[in-house]
Amino acid sequence: MRWSRPLPRAFWGPGLGRALQPSDERIPFLIHWNWALKGECPLGPPRAFLRHHGSSVGSGPPSGRHKQLFWSTSATEAIQRHRRNLAEWFSRLPREERQFGPTFALDTVHVDPVIRECTPDELLRPPSVLALEHQLPPARLPTLALSQLFDPDACGRRVQTVVLYGTVGTGKSTLVRKMVLDWCYGRLPAFELLIPFSCEDLSSLGPAPASLCQLVAQRYVPLKEILPLMAATGSRLLFVLHGLEHLNLDFRLAGTGLCSNPEQPEVPAAIIVNLLRKYMLPEASILVTTRPSAIGRIPSKYVGRYGEICGFSDTNLQKLYFQLRLNQPDCGHSAGGAGVSATPAQRDNLVEMLSRNLEGHHQIAAACFLPSYCWLVCATLHFLHAPTPAGQTLTSIYTSFLRLNFSGEMLDSTDPSKLSLMAYAARTMGKLAYEGVSSRKTYFSEEDVHGCLEAGIRTEEEFQLLHVFRRDALRFFLAPCVEPGHLGTFVFTVPAMQEYLAALYIVLGLRKTTLQQVGKELAEFVGRVGEDVSLVLGIVAKLLPLRALPLLFNLLKVVPRVFGRMVGKSREAVAQAMVLEMFREEDYYNDDVLDQMGASILGVEGPRRHPDEPPEDEVFELFPMFMGGLLSAHNRAVLAQLGCPIKNLDALENAQAIKKKLGKLGRQVLPPSELLDHLFFHYEFQNQRFSAEVLSSLRQLNLAGVRMTPLKCTVVATVLGSGRHALDEVNLASCQLDPAGIRTLMPVFLRARKLGLQLNSLGPEACRDLRDLLLHDQCQITTLRLSNNPLTAAGVALLVEGLAGNTSLTHLSLLHTGLGDEGLVLLAAQLERNQQLQELNVAYNGAASTSMS
């Protein structure tokens, strides 16, 4: 394994129109102040925001043909209430974003992706070229800022309709969110009124007729009283139509008649068509966002400008994104306020290491071309280096990442199958990912990709779905390899995504042999007709003494049982492969999986491997972790929202098969890094009962030499802290433990009989926690090794308090702990208060002869 969103989609529901109280003013992370408006901001005190090439701040008001139309007091108040409601709605953060700190706000740390203006001729390129062409846009092509979207075109003609398109993950939803918030805070003065529509919301209305005024009034109640003025607003009225791919538009007159009256009820798709035709409200401005496959649903004669959202084609934009995300002053706090906040120096060091790796590791830069993967990198680093919110796992981060980008979308709204985009990706990309894991490869030729995409396609409808997927989502999962020696091949955008999709392919039951597919179809057929046929055959068998009929009758009962056993054998084979991958002897002496992931994102210190050296064997240690994580209840619930449900019975049977195999292979003594990987698997699974049964035979916890980060301490404490049986020995020597880690691991220490904490640079502060450990009524430690830690006399003064009240400790090692004469005197004075201590090692503490006597 080498390394493992845009921001969440905006959802506009009917409840948006309710009067909402303005949110409390926050003090966001300040970049610099820059206010385009003179005087008072429409929503009260100014807010900090970024200004760069993509900001819409610079868009000035149009020429003097239009003056302010909503000049009455009531109209102005209605507009202000509309602004407040939109700002409140679009500023709401999902749970996944709150991990970056309580003052994190999308409108203050936004970085606009590159928007490249293109012509209709470019949109007519052959689909085969679009499918696998993922190179960054040439620098010579013109780019657009948000403030330039409605500027006159090259011929000086007025632009009224702009279509922005981009593949999944390029930042369409984030761009719309930023534009709406810019208008709410007065940073988009070119438009006096902005009305956003979610095409997904409009498509849910079905064929029920409604007028444009009704659609606006239902969603934005404050605008109800000024709807009659919409027609007179002209170009200062902006409609934002987000996600056009959700609507099936028909611009033929025979399909959609002409309608210019905003108060006439029509099907929602017909209203959108007439708005785009400029037959209804012809002066209004319209901004459309869509995926590439739906561009052709609007005839080009109705479009004034096309813009392709190209993501972060400039690495400087990637670095700016990472700096803003990771340099939040409170991003080191956990959701509940617990944990130790990262210092500014630690955050700066994290950003610096990531920036250096972006410059030297071009494959990561190619992945971060998509803003969504920049989000994933930040979320992963936050998971690895900040206090972990309760219940958050690596699998849940990847599952939430897919939910933020796909959110249960259909692959093609015009297809009657209504297949979800994520389900199609799991079937195709999951197949490619699993074949790579099983054959231990991460580089794929174009033939490999075509083979997985086109497998089993027989009908015209299936080819159409493939065409849509290739244009809209293939770039999200695959990227061209830019590493020397592998040019012309493809890799998964991040290596961990390959292992995640391979695990998803397995747990969804998509991996089937030909015999299993035939057996399933036969079992389903027999199940459908079995009851009726069995009833008929039972009657006939009583009337006619034919021996063949009872035989056939029993056969109908046997077929489903045989298929069930065949599926059971398949599950056992998958579990066997997963466990063998987890306990490969070749991986025994590499870093644990969490350190591997961190090093792949931040880079590895020291010289890189020479291109001529033989490649190392590919490691897929995250594959079993993801398999366990996907079986957890939380991830199954999110996958069901994405159209990839995992049945409870299937999850139970898979878990039982895995437990059976783990019970056999999990009893062997593992090296420290592999033992931590084993515990991390249980942490991802999030099933205490399962873990307690599998780990019931664990008696020695040897993690010596493993760098115990806050996350690893949380993993160990979560998995082993609730167990009931005692641990004969817990060895955490040379683990870079700190006092916070000791507090996290306290439940595990209470189960230990022998505890080794030597060589951890523990100081007097840690002795306070060790004192509390020794005084705990459940403490059963008999041997405590603290050698080679700078405890000093101040630390031993706290430690002796614990010794005085402890009744279990018999062996204590304080070798080379910097006690000095003062510490030894304190220790000697308190020894008589502990009658159980049998052995005390205080060698190499700089004691003088007087203190020794």
Side-chain angles (χ1 to χ4, degrees), residues 575-652:
Q576 176 78 6
M578 189 212 76
V579 173
L580 289 177
E581 184 68 41
M582 186 185 301
F583 297 112
R584 290 181 74 233
E585 292 187 8
E586 295 88 340
D587 304 333
Y588 271 16
Y589 301 102
N590 58 10
D591 291 335
D592 61 81
V593 68
L594 294 175
D595 277 354
Q596 290 179 46
M597 176 167 283
S600 63
I601 297 177
L602 299 175
V604 180
E605 299 295 334
R608 296 182 180 272
R609 184 178 60 85
H610 193 275
D612 295 334
E613 293 182 13
E616 299 177 356
D617 189 20
E618 295 292 348
V619 178
F620 296 99
E621 291 185 89
L622 275 178
F623 170 63
M625 315 299 173
F626 283 138
M627 275 197 65
L630 289 171
L631 293 175
S632 69
H634 169 74
N635 285 304
R636 286 191 286 118
V638 177
L639 287 172
Q641 299 173 14
L642 294 173
C644 301
I646 301 174
K647 297 179 180 179
N648 291 329
L649 183 60
D650 290 340
L652 177 61

Side-chain angles (χ1 to χ4, degrees), residues 792-797 800 818-829 845-848 851:
T792 71
V796 81
V800 294
L819 302 184
D821 291 343
E822 181 183 358
L824 290 172
V825 169
L826 284 172
L827 188 61
N845 273 289
S851 62

Side-chain angles (χ1 to χ4, degrees), residues 349-669:
N349 182 58
L350 205 64
V351 174
E352 179 63 25
M353 292 178 66
L354 181 56
S355 297
R356 288 203 307 266
N357 203 30
L358 280 172
E359 295 171 357
H361 196 316
H362 301 295
Q363 195 62 55
I364 298 179
C368 293
F369 165 80
L370 292 175
S372 58
Y373 277 96
C374 292
W375 183 94
L376 181 60
V377 168
C378 288
T380 304
L381 286 177
H382 197 268
F383 174 71
L384 294 174
H385 294 277
T388 306
Q392 186 184 59
T393 65
L394 185 64
T395 311
S396 70
I397 289 177
Y398 274 72
T399 306
S400 298
F401 168 70
L402 294 175
R403 184 184 67 83
L404 292 174
N405 282 277
F406 294 97
S407 65
E409 286 191 20
M410 290 180 293
L411 178 58
D412 185 2
S413 62
T414 64
D415 186 72
S417 67
K418 305 301 181 185
L419 181 66
S420 79
L421 181 54
M422 191 60 227
Y424 192 90
R427 190 178 70 195
T428 54
M429 293 293 96
K431 177 179 174 62
L432 181 67
Y434 180 74
E435 290 182 356
V437 170
S438 59
S439 59
R440 314 200 69 76
K441 70 175 184 178
T442 58
Y443 305 99
F444 302 93
S445 66
E446 191 167 330
E447 291 73 18
D448 296 332
V449 178
H450 281 296
C452 288
L453 288 175
E454 299 174 2
I457 293 182
R458 300 181 181 86
T459 65
E460 181 65 27
E461 291 76 13
E462 292 173 337
F463 272 107
Q464 175 61 24
L465 291 177
L466 173 60
H467 169 74
V468 172
F469 181 78
R470 289 171 65 169
R471 295 199 63 177
D472 292 350
L474 184 59
R475 174 64 181 89
F476 181 84
F477 294 103
L478 292 180
C481 183
V482 296
E483 296 178 4
H486 296 283
L487 299 178
T489 62
F490 297 88
V491 295
F492 279 85
T493 313
V494 293
M497 183 58 73
Q498 176 181 350
E499 298 177 75
Y500 179 92
L501 290 174
L504 182 62
Y505 184 72
I506 294 299
V507 299
L508 288 176
L510 298 175
R511 177 183 174 270
K512 295 184 179 69
T513 63
T514 304
L515 179 61
Q516 289 174 332
Q517 292 173 353
V518 174
K520 181 180 180 181
E521 294 174 0
L522 179 60
E524 290 176 350
F525 172 76
V526 171
R528 286 194 299 268
V529 303
E531 293 184 2
D532 296 336
V533 174
S534 298
L535 178 62
V536 173
L537 290 178
I539 296 173
V540 174
K542 294 178 180 179
L543 298 176
L544 299 176
L546 299 178
R547 297 181 179 178
L549 291 179
L551 180 62
L552 183 59
F553 177 79
N554 292 328
L555 183 61
L556 289 172
K557 298 180 179 179
V558 168
V559 169
R561 297 176 189 171
V562 173
F563 175 70
R565 292 177 182 175
M566 188 164 50
V567 172
K569 293 293 184 183
S570 175
R571 287 197 180 97
E572 290 185 5
V574 170
Q576 176 78 6
M578 189 212 76
V579 173
L580 289 177
E581 184 68 41
M582 186 185 301
F583 297 112
R584 290 181 74 233
E585 292 187 8
E586 295 88 340
D587 304 333
Y588 271 16
Y589 301 102
N590 58 10
D591 291 335
D592 61 81
V593 68
L594 294 175
D595 277 354
Q596 290 179 46
M597 176 167 283
S600 63
I601 297 177
L602 299 175
V604 180
E605 299 295 334
R608 296 182 180 272
R609 184 178 60 85
H610 193 275
D612 295 334
E613 293 182 13
E616 299 177 356
D617 189 20
E618 295 292 348
V619 178
F620 296 99
E621 291 185 89
L622 275 178
F623 170 63
M625 315 299 173
F626 283 138
M627 275 197 65
L630 289 171
L631 293 175
S632 69
H634 169 74
N635 285 304
R636 286 191 286 118
V638 177
L639 287 172
Q641 299 173 14
L642 294 173
C644 301
I646 301 174
K647 297 179 180 179
N648 291 329
L649 183 60
D650 290 340
L652 177 61
E653 291 177 349
N654 276 311
Q656 289 175 343
I658 293 172
K659 182 168 65 174
K660 181 179 178 182
K661 298 301 178 181
L662 279 178
K664 294 180 179 179
L665 295 179
R667 296 189 184 97
Q668 56 186 312
V669 178

Side-chain angles (χ1 to χ4, degrees), residues 694-771:
V694 173
L695 297 174
S696 60
S697 60
L698 182 66
R699 290 293 182 269
Q700 291 187 338
L701 180 65
N702 181 16
L703 297 177
V706 174
R707 186 173 60 93
M708 293 300 291
T709 63
L711 172 61
K712 295 176 187 176
C713 292
T714 301
V715 168
V716 175
T718 302
V719 175
L720 296 177
S722 60
R724 297 182 179 179
H725 68 276
L727 297 172
D728 294 337
E729 182 176 3
V730 174
N731 185 1
L732 295 175
S734 189
C735 290
Q736 301 181 35
L737 267 179
D738 57 12
I742 290 179
R743 288 191 292 272
T744 303
L745 291 168
M746 193 70 71
V748 180
F749 293 165
L750 291 174
R751 296 176 53 195
R753 291 197 174 98
K754 294 181 180 180
L755 178 59
L757 298 176
Q758 59 269 35
L759 294 165
N760 274 296
S761 300
L762 297 174
E765 184 183 355
C767 292
R768 190 181 308 275
D769 301 297
L770 293 174
R771 176 198 63 186

Side-chain angles (χ1 to χ4, degrees), residues 22-23 25-26 33 35 39-48 185 187:
S23 59
E25 287 300 325
R26 294 170 293 208
W33 294 90
W35 286 96
E40 186 179 357
C41 177
L43 290 183
R47 296 170 61 95
Y185 297 124
R187 303 197 290 260

